[in-house]
Amino acid sequence: MRENKDGNQKLKFEAKEEFTGLKTGKRKKKSAGIPGVLNALKHAFKYMPIPSIFKAASKLNQKGGFDCPGCAWPDPDDDRSALGEFCENGMKAISEEISKKIINGDFFENKSVSELREYSDFELGKLGRLGEPLIYHQHDDKYHPISWQNAFKLIAKELQDLDHPDQASFYTSGRTSNEAAFLYQLFVRMLGTNNLPDCSNMCHESSGVGLTETLGLGKGSVTLNDMHRAEVIIIMGQNPGTNHPRMLSALEKCKENGGKIITVNPLPEAGLLTFINPQNPIKIMSGGTTLTDIFLQVKINGDIPLLKGLMKILLIKDEEREGKVLDHHFIADYTENFNLLKEHLDKVSLDDCIEKSGIPLDLMESAVDLIADKEKIIVCWAMGLTQHKNGVNNIKEIVNLLLLKGAIGKEGAGTCPVRGHSNVQGDRTMGIYEAPSEDFLKRLDKVFNFTAPRKHGYSTVDNIRAMADGKVKVFMAMGGNFLSAAPDTNLTGRAMSNCKLTVHVSTKLNRSHLAPGEVSLILPCLGRSEKDIQKSGQQYVTVENSMGVVHSSKGILKPCSKNLKSEVGIICELAETTLNGKSSVNWKKLTTNYDNIRDLIEKAIPGFENFNQRIRKDQQFYLPNGPRTRKFNTPNGKAFFSINPFPIIETHSEELIMMTIRSHDQFNTTIYGLDDRYRGVYNERRVIMMNPTDMKVRNLKSKEVVNLKSDYKGVKRLAKKFIVIPYDIPEGCAATYFPEANALIPYDEFADKSKTPISKSVRIKIEKSAEKELVEMA
């Protein structure tokens, strides 16, 4: 990495390592209920203008209203609750967006970027909404106001002066609407590059690759109604009580309909134990619904050994029952490579499955007993499966299990990757992808009369390296918090500040703004909840949820500042200024009425026929989904069984396997508060959860302060000052919150094929800190 004028190799981009006053309590065994309601209201009244609270709550996730900027869990097709179609963390999300505070240029007069780096991510987020465009120059280390016109001219000039378009990179966050994402990728490809890394690269890319290779479509196959009708739901590597709380209502309906739930996770999570529906007085009085029937506390990355064990036992039972356990008709008609999988499983040692997964035989047999006679089976998963070296294989092994049971392409059965951000799936549908298919590019060529670049661009980890090496000179982020989301925090920060220009389209200040290039711009945009008024009147946008439903989102509140622009407006003005007439697209026309954008999407992307008419009529529609109807877009039209080896993680002496997790007061990189009440951790984030036996072996006491180290390819990484907490986690495993522990994750260790960082299986060592011996309970 070349050192720029700021001497950025010496800079540290993590927040200051300060404790905030740890309090600990008992781990909760029930989720939501009255405490969830009270906590949501606490955040709303503390951070939002009071008139906005009730107005926003009445329209959040409702038809004709606006989509929650949080997770991508689907809304019910029709029976939406009049009491509120949102969860505790949804209210926290809009409390962040509809903030009482506004940040303008005068805030930065007495605040340098170097000073702001000392702030925690929580403190940065609570400073308020950004109210005007800002520019940073290295010479004074501060942001100052800039006009929109001058900002667009500056960006355009830097892009036009590049030796090659591949010297620019364009990141996308999952909150970007379909309309904005489509225009963004179109502008970038007209510029001449496929450098379109996005947040999918860091989360569910492994799901997309694994599902595409086996089923022909990189999306899940189930609908919300399928969840209600499933006989068995297996939830793997996911904590819906915190990350997708509205999913708990779907699980509750499944249980009420007689369904069973198997949970697979290294940590017992309150959201999967008992759910108290806060909208049901009877449930509140009775103590709620028990969700999990069987809990399989798997070792970190022990999922493939577990799944192999389950499948091996299923095969044995199938032989004992003369072929009445597996769906042999489905296997014969719709799949390929069954005999190869059977031969492989015959050779697998059940003892190895038990040892490597950490699940005893009796529990495996209990799980098999639950699914052996069932036909309607759904497997849900999240980043607990995708963020490993073998992340893609984890997904393919799930598919193997479902194919054995014929549990794909029928009611109440199928795959369910639970996406994080609210339009992360839609962004990919719109073409936000560094490795687009030839078919997609040909459609762009035809509709827009240009030749799109064919060379694949940078994924997220490739982009980090390219910025560090000086190959990317302009980095633009459409939303998100790239620095806090990415692995290897300090390397990523130095890489970003190595650029000549960085540009961020944002609603609030975040850590990425504190890793500026020689020049940096922050362009403030409208939030989901705010009215988007253009020349033809108020506009709406669309998003795609985790189950492939496209639906509308229309803001209801007055923008917090008159100096904001919509994401669509920003992209169109930038494209108009940069391409300067060298484009067949009338960018100004697209800004005036978003129907014009949807007309173009309809022409370029299959599944969006009659886009405007359908979205106006029902405010939502389902995209085509081949696996949902047993149509597999694979080379021979069949679903593929696959052979996936046991994962290999070679731990050295005294090393643990660490996974990074979210707290309950957190969504992705946004920190709503400092409590993780379901896990009994309050007012502190710099903690490491350890098995008591591992603590004893290392002579560590509860609340002792330690430093964490990782060592990959000779590169030693350090994260200082974490507090040890004894926790119910398998031996040899540990858990920390991200982004605090991201500094330990190597950017160049990632999942095969998907390049998803290994955030859930990082080898670490623990050393005692010399600064403090124990942290006293506050």
Side-chain angles (χ1 to χ4, degrees):
M1 181 190 298
R2 61 182 176 85
E3 185 170 340
N4 67 12
K5 297 175 184 177
D6 198 28
N8 68 14
Q9 291 202 61
K10 300 175 183 178
L11 290 177
K12 191 169 179 292
F13 292 90
E14 301 167 87
K16 191 173 182 180
E17 297 134 351
E18 288 187 345
F19 297 132
T20 47
L22 172 67
K23 299 179 183 179
T24 56
K26 289 185 179 180
R27 178 172 59 85
K28 300 292 189 291
K29 296 183 179 180
K30 297 182 179 182
S31 62
I34 297 301
V37 174
L38 295 176
N39 205 43
L41 290 174
K42 181 183 78 172
H43 279 261
F45 281 98
K46 185 173 183 179
Y47 298 115
M48 293 172 65
I50 291 177
S52 300
I53 296 173
F54 302 101
K55 190 172 184 180
S58 68
K59 290 293 186 179
L60 182 58
N61 294 325
Q62 300 287 355
K63 286 189 175 183
F66 66 98
D67 189 58
C68 178
C71 80
W73 188 253
D75 308 313
D77 287 343
D78 296 306
D79 57 337
R80 302 193 186 182
S81 172
L83 295 176
E85 193 58 58
F86 57 89
C87 65
E88 173 190 342
N89 279 357
M91 180 57 73
K92 292 176 186 174
I94 63 169
S95 297
E96 286 284 308
E97 182 175 291
I98 310 171
S99 174
K100 297 175 182 178
K101 300 179 181 178
I102 306 295
I103 300 176
N104 288 310
D106 54 359
F107 169 83
F108 296 93
E109 289 180 4
N110 299 310
K111 293 287 183 184
S112 68
V113 165
S114 297
E115 290 172 316
L116 288 168
R117 284 195 191 105
E118 299 290 308
Y119 281 48
S120 68
D121 290 82
F122 170 66
E123 290 169 329
L124 288 172
K126 296 308 179 188
L127 291 174
R129 284 286 299 275
L130 293 159
E132 64 179 330
L134 300 164
I135 185 170
Y136 166 93
H137 290 283
Q138 281 184 355
H139 63 81
D140 71 348
D141 196 34
K142 290 183 179 181
Y143 279 101
H144 301 277
I146 185 175
S147 70
W148 279 105
Q149 184 179 24
N150 286 339
F152 290 132
K153 286 181 178 178
L154 190 156
I155 302 168
K157 185 177 188 309
E158 291 296 336
L159 292 174
Q160 292 162 352
D161 287 349
L162 295 173
D163 295 331
H164 192 279
D166 285 342
Q167 291 180 323
S169 186
F170 301 84
Y171 175 74
T172 311
S173 156
R175 72 170 292 279
T176 306
S177 69
N178 286 330
E179 289 76 8
F182 181 78
L183 295 181
Y184 193 50
Q185 64 82 27
L186 182 62
F187 161 60
V188 170
R189 293 189 165 107
M190 285 186 165
L191 189 67
T193 183
N194 281 313
N195 286 345
L196 283 159
D198 75 316
C199 57
S200 278
N201 297 154
M202 294 183 276
C203 55
H204 269 288
E205 197 71 57
S206 297
S207 299
V209 174
L211 292 172
T212 299
E213 289 187 356
T214 54
L215 302 178
L217 181 69
K219 301 180 182 182
S221 66
V222 303
T223 67
L224 189 56
N225 287 331
D226 287 326
M227 296 286 292
H228 302 159
R229 295 163 183 164
E231 294 174 302
V232 177
I233 296 178
I234 304 173
I235 302 170
M236 304 186 70
Q238 185 197 0
N239 177 19
T242 287
N243 301 330
H244 312 90
R246 287 197 300 151
M247 180 177 171
L248 301 182
S249 298
L251 298 178
E252 179 186 47
K253 285 190 178 181
C254 174
K255 293 293 300 233
E256 290 172 347
N257 292 334
K260 302 294 183 180
I261 294 175
I262 300 171
T263 296
V264 181
N265 201 53
L267 297 178
E269 301 288 13
L272 285 170
L273 298 177
T274 301
F275 168 56
I276 303 175
N277 190 330
Q279 297 192 10
N280 188 327
I282 295 176
K283 295 292 185 181
I284 294 172
M285 296 296 293
S286 66
T289 302
T290 299
L291 297 180
T292 294
D293 294 283
I294 297 177
F295 175 46
L296 304 178
Q297 191 170 17
V298 71
K299 293 179 182 178
I300 290 176
N301 207 16
D303 304 281
I304 284 179
L306 169 63
L307 289 165
K308 286 191 189 300
L310 298 180
M311 290 189 290
K312 188 173 181 72
I313 298 171
L314 276 172
L315 285 171
I316 294 171
K317 282 186 175 292
D318 189 63
E319 291 181 6
E320 293 173 348
R321 299 184 187 180
E322 299 179 342
K324 295 181 179 179
V325 173
L326 306 185
D327 189 337
H328 290 280
H329 291 296
F330 173 84
I331 291 169
D333 293 342
Y334 291 100
T335 74
E336 192 81 16
N337 298 332
F338 169 69
N339 288 332
L340 290 177
L341 177 67
K342 186 176 183 302
E343 291 171 8
H344 168 72
L345 290 173
D346 286 342
K347 297 174 184 177
V348 168
S349 162
L350 201 51
D351 287 339
D352 282 348
C353 296
I354 293 167
E355 190 276 326
K356 294 179 184 296
S357 68
I359 303 301
L361 179 60
D362 62 330
L363 277 178
M364 283 194 191
E365 290 177 332
S366 295
V368 170
D369 287 342
L370 208 57
I371 65 177
D373 297 324
K374 304 297 189 298
E375 297 180 357
K376 298 179 179 181
I377 302 167
I378 291 173
V379 181
C380 304
W381 70 89
M383 287 176 283
L385 265 70
T386 63
Q387 292 180 325
H388 300 279
K389 177 74 172 172
N390 50 283
V392 172
N393 286 349
N394 284 342
I395 309 313
K396 293 167 75 171
E397 201 77 341
I398 286 173
V399 172
N400 282 341
L401 176 62
L402 291 170
L403 292 179
L404 287 178
K405 293 294 297 176
I408 287 184
K410 63 184 177 185
E411 181 184 85
T415 57
C416 184
V418 185
R419 303 278 180 171
H421 222 152
S422 58
N423 197 39
V424 63
Q425 187 161 294
D427 288 349
R428 181 57 56 87
T429 302
M430 292 295 108
I432 300 294
Y433 190 27
E434 76 280 0
S437 69
E438 180 63 18
D439 285 346
F440 177 80
L441 296 176
K442 283 181 177 178
R443 289 194 298 270
L444 288 187
D445 292 349
K446 181 178 179 181
V447 173
F448 296 103
N449 193 31
F450 82 115
T451 302
R454 262 50 182 183
K455 176 186 173 185
H456 286 178
Y458 295 133
S459 68
T460 291
V461 294
D462 296 328
N463 185 63
I464 294 169
R465 182 75 265 170
M467 290 190 295
D469 290 343
K471 294 179 181 178
V472 167
K473 300 184 183 302
V474 176
F475 173 72
M476 180 171 179
M478 183 59 59
N481 182 356
F482 185 82
L483 178 56
S484 291
D488 227 331
T489 307
N490 288 315
L491 174 68
T492 300
R494 292 193 295 270
M496 292 174 67
S497 64
N498 209 34
C499 295
K500 187 174 181 183
L501 173 67
T502 52
V503 182
H504 299 275
V505 178
S506 304
T507 56
K508 305 191 78 175
L509 197 66
N510 65 52
R511 191 156 301 282
S512 294
H513 306 144
L514 310 182
E518 293 180 27
V519 177
S520 184
L521 291 166
I522 303 175
L523 307 180
C525 67
L526 294 170
R528 285 266 180 89
S529 59
E530 293 171 319
K531 293 180 180 179
D532 182 355
I533 308 296
Q534 303 296 339
K535 285 186 177 179
S536 64
Q538 185 175 353
Q539 306 299 309
Y540 65 87
V541 294
T542 61
V543 296
E544 178 187 344
N545 67 34
S546 195
M547 293 181 179
V549 181
V550 176
H551 58 99
S552 63
S553 178
K554 188 174 184 179
I556 60 164
L557 300 177
K558 181 181 177 181
C560 67
S561 167
K562 294 180 180 180
N563 214 358
L564 306 181
K565 288 183 180 289
S566 69
E567 290 177 327
V568 165
I570 291 170
I571 295 164
C572 287
E573 289 193 54
L574 177 59
E576 181 76 20
T577 307
T578 304
L579 300 176
N580 196 23
K582 299 175 183 177
S583 164
S584 62
V585 177
N586 185 337
W587 299 96
K588 289 182 180 178
K589 179 182 177 182
L590 298 179
T591 308
T592 61
N593 190 328
Y594 296 177
D595 282 357
N596 298 324
I597 306 170
R598 289 183 281 272
D599 286 340
L600 295 179
I601 293 173
E602 176 182 330
K603 294 178 181 178
I605 300 181
F608 286 83
E609 295 77 14
N610 301 313
F611 192 175
N612 278 308
Q613 294 90 328
R614 283 195 290 168
I615 205 70
R616 275 206 175 83
K617 180 182 177 183
D618 298 319
Q619 296 173 336
Q620 68 172 45
F621 60 87
Y622 284 78
L623 289 174
N625 188 298
R628 193 172 288 163
T629 55
R630 296 188 170 178
K631 295 178 181 177
F632 305 108
N633 186 25
T634 57
N636 66 357
K638 291 193 173 185
F640 281 82
F641 286 103
S642 57
I643 309 302
N644 307 296
F646 286 131
I648 299 174
I649 302 180
E650 296 181 354
T651 55
H652 306 297
S653 176
E654 297 184 355
E655 284 186 327
L656 298 173
I657 301 299
M658 178 195 78
M659 63 178 185
T660 59
I661 59 176
R662 300 174 186 169
S663 78
H664 191 63
D665 269 358
Q666 174 179 3
F667 180 75
N668 290 349
T669 59
T670 303
I671 313 301
Y672 302 135
L674 299 176
D675 293 342
D676 193 4
R677 76 172 190 277
Y678 288 165
R679 298 190 183 109
V681 180
Y682 299 90
N683 203 46
E684 186 58 73
R685 292 185 55 82
R686 299 192 72 84
V687 300
I688 177 167
M689 301 173 196
M690 294 179 62
N691 183 286
T693 300
D694 291 326
M695 292 172 56
K696 185 176 180 180
V697 168
R698 291 160 179 77
N699 194 28
L700 294 173
K701 300 175 182 177
S702 177
K703 301 182 182 67
E704 189 163 356
V705 179
V706 297
N707 298 328
L708 312 181
K709 292 183 173 182
S710 68
D711 186 347
Y712 284 85
K713 299 174 183 176
V715 178
K716 294 177 171 54
R717 296 171 174 86
L718 174 67
K720 293 183 178 180
K721 296 180 66 175
F722 282 74
I723 304 168
V724 175
I725 294 178
Y727 208 82
D728 185 2
I729 187 171
E731 286 185 42
C733 303
T736 54
Y737 299 128
F738 84 93
E740 284 78 6
N742 282 7
L744 298 167
I745 305 169
Y747 85 96
D748 54 355
E749 291 285 331
F750 42 74
D752 297 329
K753 299 183 180 180
S754 70
K755 294 188 176 181
T756 300
I758 58 164
S759 303
K760 292 292 188 290
S761 52
V762 184
R763 301 192 319 266
I764 65 164
K765 285 187 176 181
I766 298 175
E767 68 172 18
K768 295 194 176 188
S769 172
E771 298 184 40
K772 283 185 180 180
E773 186 178 8
L774 293 173
V775 172
E776 296 297 329
M777 287 182 64

